[in-house]
Amino acid sequence: MGVVAIVAAALLAVGAALAVVRVERGPSMLDRTIAFDVLTTILVGAIALEAAWSRRTESIPILVVLSLVGFVGSVVIARFAAVEPEGADAPGADGIPPVSPGEERAALGAERVGEERGGGE
Amino acid sequence: MSPSTRRAPWRQWPAVLVLAAIWVLLWGSLSWGTALLGLAVAVAVVWFLPLPRVATSWTIRPWGLCVLVGRFGADLVVASFQVAWLALRPGPGPRGGVVGVRLTHPGTTHQVVTAELASLVPGSVVVELRPHDRTVYLHVLDLALAGGTDGVRRDIRALEARVLRAFPPKKES
Amino acid sequence: MTGVGQDVWNLVADVLAGACLLLGAFLAFSAGVGVLRFGHLLARMHAVTKPQVLGLILLLLGVALRVRSWSAVAMLALVVAFQLLTSPVAAHMVGRAGFRTGKVRPEDLEVDDLTDERAG
C-alpha cells in the first residue's frame, strides 16, 4: 500500500502542477476555469487518497462539498465572466433567460463569433 | 412561478423520497431522527422551490436500463483511456470537430438524457442542444477515432435508441 | 467465516483498492497533461470530463474498498451521483460560452456543422 500511495500521490501532484501551468497561461477565462476544474478534481482525488491510505472517514464530507463547489464555480464563470468584452447587455447575462432561448441566443452567439473572427487576431 | 401552480408535496412523493434519501446519506446514519427530519426538509424544499412540471412521461424497462447502463460503463472505460492516450502520445494534438446530429424522438426529456450521457463519455461534449429542431451539436475530440462524422451520428443515434428502450415514452401526452 | 478467510478477503480488497487508486490517479495525471497540451478550449474540455467521471469513480471505489464502512460508502456514492449529474452541465455551459464568445477558431475544427448551419 505504501508504494501505491506514493506513486498515486506523485501522479496527482504532477497532474495538479500541469493544471496550474494552464491556469497561469490561460489564455481565456474559460481555459482557466477548465484547468481549475481539473485542479479541484485532483484535490478531491488527493483527499480520497489520504482517506484510503489512513482508512479514516473524517475527510469524506469534504469531498461532498468540493464536488458541488467546483460545479457552482464553473457554471457561474461560464455564465457571467465568460461574456467578456461587449456582453454587458446580452440576454442571459443578468441570469434571466431570454424569452426564446434557442433562436435569440443562437443568433446573438453567431453574431459575436462573427465579430471576433472579423476583428481579432 | 405563481403559488397557484404549486403541486402538493405528497403528489411529488418521488422527489420527496429522493431528497430525504440524500439527507440521510449526508448524515451517514439511518435513524428515526434523520429520516423524519430528512422528510421534513424534503417537503419544505419541494414546497418552497417548485419546479415546472416535466411535460413528457415515460416508463422504465429494467432490461433496457441494464443495457443502457452497462453499455455506458463500457463506453466510459474505453473512451477514458482513449482520451488519456491522446493526451499522452507524442506529436501534434488530435483533430476534432463539431458535429450536428438530428435526433429521432421529439421529447425533450429523452433529448436531455441522451445529451447528458453523451457529454459524460469522454471524447464528446455537447456544445448546443436545440430542442425545436431536435439537433444536438457535439464537439468530438478526435474525429478519426470516432469514425468520422458518420460514425459520430451513428453512435449518438444508437445511444438515443438505447435511451428510448430504457425509458420508453407513453403513447399519448 | 474463519479468521484466515477474513484475512484473504482483506488482502483482495486492499489489492483492488490499490489498483483503483493507481488507475484513478493516472487518469487525473493524464487530465493535467491534456489540459496543458491540447491546443484549444474545446479539446481541453475533454481532458476535464475524464478524471471527473471515471477517475473519480475509481478513486472513490478505492476509498470504499479500504474503509469498508457503510456510512462512508453511502456518502461516496452521493459524491459520484452529484458529479455525474453536474459535470455534463458544467462542461456544456463552458463549451457553449466558449463557442459563442468566439474562443474557438475555425482552423481548430475539422468539421463545424454549427457555424455552417448558422452561416447558410
Side-chain angles (χ1 to χ4, degrees), chain A residues 11-12 14 18 22 28 30-31 34 41 44-45 48 52-53 55 57 64 71 75 82 105 109-110 113 116-117, chain C residues 14 28-29 32-33 35-36 41 44-45 48 52 56 59 63 66-67 79 86 98-101 103-104 106 115 118:
Chain A
L11 283 172
L12 289 176
V14 175
L18 296 175
R22 177 51 74 193
S28 75
L30 290 170
D31 291 287
I34 289 175
T41 315
V44 170
W53 187 63
R55 291 184 196 269
T57 57
V64 181
F71 165 68
V75 166
R105 298 174 73 188
V113 168
E116 289 233 350
R117 276 178 190 161
Chain C
D14 274 0
F29 161 72
V33 176
V35 91
L36 186 62
L41 180 78
R44 282 176 206 137
M45 284 175 42
V48 185
Q52 272 186 345
L56 189 81
L59 282 166
V63 178
R66 284 280 289 178
V67 174
V79 175
T86 56
F99 214 90
R100 287 185 178 174
T101 51
K103 301 282 184 332
V104 184
T115 310
R118 276 174 188 164

Side-chain angles (χ1 to χ4, degrees), chain B residues 28 89 91 96 98 100 128 139, chain C residues 37 46 71 92 100 110-111 113:
Chain B
R89 76 172 179 195
V98 174
E128 281 272 2
H139 179 261
Chain C
R37 279 195 64 202
H46 296 283
S71 65
H92 170 65
R100 287 185 178 174
E110 200 135 274
V111 185
D113 287 349

Side-chain angles (χ1 to χ4, degrees), chain A residues 1 3-5 7-12 14-16 18-19 21-22 25-31 33-35 37-38 41-42 44-49 51-57 60-61 63-64 67-68 70-71 74-75 78-79 82-84 101-102 105-110 112-113 116-117 121, chain C residues 10 14 17-19 21-22 24-26 28-33 35-42 44-45 47-48 51-52 56 59-60 62-63 65-69 71-73 75-76 78-79 82-83 85-87 89-90 93-94 96-107 109 112 115 118:
Chain A
M1 201 65 204
V3 181
V4 168
V7 172
L11 283 172
L12 289 176
V14 175
L18 296 175
V21 173
R22 177 51 74 193
R25 280 195 195 165
S28 75
M29 192 71 131
L30 290 170
D31 291 287
T33 315
I34 289 175
D37 255 8
V38 172
T41 315
I42 290 178
V44 170
I47 294 170
L49 187 65
W53 187 63
S54 65
R55 291 184 196 269
R56 290 205 317 219
T57 57
I60 289 174
L63 300 182
V64 181
S67 68
L68 288 175
F71 165 68
S74 42
V75 166
R79 189 126 181 107
V83 190
E84 270 156 22
R105 298 174 73 188
L108 184 93
R112 202 180 297 143
V113 168
E116 289 233 350
R117 276 178 190 161
E121 294 181 82
Chain C
N10 283 342
D14 274 0
L21 289 172
L22 276 181
F26 167 72
F29 161 72
S30 72
V33 176
V35 91
L36 186 62
R37 279 195 64 202
F38 286 157
H40 58 102
L41 180 78
L42 287 177
R44 282 176 206 137
M45 284 175 42
V48 185
Q52 272 186 345
L56 189 81
L59 282 166
L60 296 188
V63 178
L65 283 168
R66 284 280 289 178
V67 174
R68 297 170 211 143
S69 93
S71 65
V73 171
M75 221 177 278
L76 294 172
L78 205 58
V79 175
F82 283 155
Q83 195 77 57
L85 285 174
T86 56
S87 104
V89 179
M93 288 202 65
V94 171
R96 198 179 57 169
F99 214 90
R100 287 185 178 174
T101 51
K103 301 282 184 332
V104 184
R105 291 170 304 158
E107 60 265 31
L109 302 172
D112 189 355
T115 310
R118 276 174 188 164

Side-chain angles (χ1 to χ4, degrees), chain A residues 86-101:
Chain A
E86 68 283 335
D89 53 348
D94 49 358
I96 302 162
V99 186
S100 109

